[in-house]
Amino acid sequence: MYGLVNKAIEDMVCDRFGGDTWETIKEQAEVDINTFLCLEAYPDDLTHRLVHAASLVLGLSPSEILQAFGEYWVLYTAQKGYGQLMDMAGNAFLEFIQNLNNLHARAGLNFPHLKPPSFHCTHIQENSLCLHYHSTREGFTPMVEGMVKGLGNRFQTEVEITLRSDRKEGADHDEFSINFKPSRK
Ligand code: HEM
């Protein structure tokens, strides 16, 4: 994945646990890179190794790390030069969640080798929907949960997300059911 993702993991760990912890995680992951270049593509395996090592060092499950990272990503991208991209995807949770493919299509202008996930929504009601997540990658499902919660925070919307159909269990893609309630109009 693009270095921006690994850099964001680094910044999250450094913000919350400090630089020494990050060095320990990198050592444990056998990652010998001092500076991730945001616009360079790195092997997905490297990201998985960092998440696995962070889980060992911090005593959290890989799923908890990925969820926390997903929430962090929503704030991070908005602050690190992609605020306009985020703004263009919508002013409210439901609108935004239906625009994730457009958002990544626009992001592809900055990241020409992007292999973006693909999302679509079904069963759309006033306060609920099903979100379908397709990806060429494996193992990032909890990150989607975190990102959706992060979007809830962005739009002051209470969000409850449940994985209904799981690629790990043989489904051809992941499907989440989402209930949401804006806390302000
Ligand atoms: C301005 C905001 C965003 C930018 C710039 C961005 C960009 C990216 C980039 C660069 C990657 C790595 C893919 C690759 O290297 O091929 C990625 C992956 C991903 N993005 Fe976004 N993204 C943004 C917001 C979001 C949001 C809000 C979601 C919410 C669901 C999301 C979901 C994902 C997922 C799940 C992946 C993992 C890759 C996969 O499943 O293949 N992104 N994105």
Side-chain angles (χ1 to χ4, degrees):
M1 286 214 275
Y2 271 104
L4 179 68
V5 174
N6 300 321
K7 176 79 176 91
I9 296 177
E10 172 178 351
D11 288 350
M12 179 180 80
V13 170
C14 289
D15 283 357
R16 294 184 184 168
F17 303 97
D20 290 348
T21 304
W22 175 244
E23 290 305 319
T24 311
I25 289 171
K26 269 202 311 182
E27 218 168 282
Q28 176 97 32
E30 298 182 9
V31 170
D32 188 18
I33 293 172
N34 275 326
T35 313
F36 288 111
L37 303 175
C38 293
L39 295 179
E40 187 163 313
Y42 294 83
D44 288 353
D45 172 59
L46 191 151
T47 308
H48 285 303
R49 287 199 331 259
L50 287 173
V51 170
H52 182 69
S55 129
L56 295 176
V57 172
L58 300 173
L60 297 164
S61 66
S63 166
E64 285 171 319
I65 305 271
L66 282 165
Q67 283 201 31
F69 176 67
E71 284 200 53
Y72 185 81
W73 179 251
V74 172
L75 295 171
Y76 189 83
T77 46
Q79 283 166 9
K80 300 285 172 179
Y82 302 96
Q84 220 182 345
L85 256 185
M86 292 289 278
D87 290 345
M88 282 165 80
N91 299 320
F93 179 80
L94 181 58
E95 182 190 3
F96 198 108
I97 211 91
Q98 295 179 86
N99 263 326
L100 291 171
N101 293 344
N102 290 336
L103 185 160
H104 283 99
R106 291 190 190 110
L109 300 174
N110 289 309
F111 302 95
H113 302 293
L114 192 73
K115 286 190 278 170
S118 143
F119 294 95
H120 71 275
C121 300
T122 58
H123 302 84
I124 301 170
Q125 310 268 320
E126 201 184 334
N127 291 111
S128 64
L129 69 125
C130 278
L131 178 68
H132 302 256
Y133 163 52
H134 298 259
S135 174
T136 54
R137 303 187 164 89
E138 280 178 22
F140 291 104
T141 307
M143 189 166 110
V144 177
E145 291 177 57
M147 287 169 164
V148 169
K149 287 185 189 155
L151 291 175
N153 296 335
R154 179 177 167 91
F155 296 113
Q156 288 91 41
T157 295
E158 248 177 70
V159 171
E160 205 184 81
I161 173 164
T162 313
L163 184 60
R164 289 277 178 228
S165 175
D166 188 342
R167 209 149 58 112
K168 266 200 329 230
E169 310 287 334
D172 79 302
H173 68 277
D174 290 330
E175 184 183 327
F176 301 95
S177 80
I178 298 177
N179 291 309
F180 62 95
K181 198 166 102 198
S183 55
R184 67 175 172 92
K185 287 277 168 201

